[in-house]
Amino acid sequence: MNVQEFRSLPVQEQVSAVLSNGTELLDRIYVYYVVKLYHFDDLYVEIWYQQLSNRIDKVQVVEIDDVIHLYESQINISDLFR
């Protein structure tokens, strides 16, 4: 599935597809959100969950450069140098 095909799906189907078939990679906190990063069909997708209202507010495809920037403190590449 490419970015355009994914974005053309209704949000509920996006969430269902990512949660069913994606791999959770990392998460971060942003203001009132828990943002979880998934790898799904060659895409990196963030699901924005708001704990106060107990709902998902946003599903967003993220480019690899943004993944590196947003999650750099959690990415550990030390095993590559052994």
Side-chain angles (χ1 to χ4, degrees):
M1 178 176 300
N2 64 36
V3 175
Q4 290 78 21
E5 291 170 334
F6 182 78
R7 286 183 178 154
S8 70
L9 295 174
V11 173
Q12 293 155 330
E13 287 183 34
Q14 291 175 356
V15 170
S16 179
V18 170
L19 294 180
S20 298
N21 301 309
T23 302
E24 184 178 334
L25 301 176
L26 298 165
D27 60 60
R28 62 190 174 96
I29 303 296
Y30 182 79
V31 189
Y32 300 111
Y33 292 95
V34 174
V35 183
K36 293 193 176 258
L37 177 68
Y38 293 84
H39 184 251
F40 170 73
D41 264 7
D42 292 330
L43 302 174
Y44 291 98
V45 179
E46 284 185 329
I47 295 182
W48 291 62
Y49 171 72
Q50 187 181 65
Q51 293 177 304
L52 296 174
S53 63
N54 191 31
R55 65 182 225 178
I56 293 171
D57 280 347
K58 183 170 28 171
V59 178
Q60 163 176 318
V61 176
V62 185
E63 297 295 324
I64 189 64
D65 292 341
D66 293 326
V67 169
I68 292 168
H69 173 72
L70 293 167
Y71 296 91
E72 67 184 333
S73 66
Q74 298 180 55
I75 298 172
N76 181 356
I77 60 170
S78 62
D79 287 347
L80 297 176
F81 300 105
R82 290 186 185 176

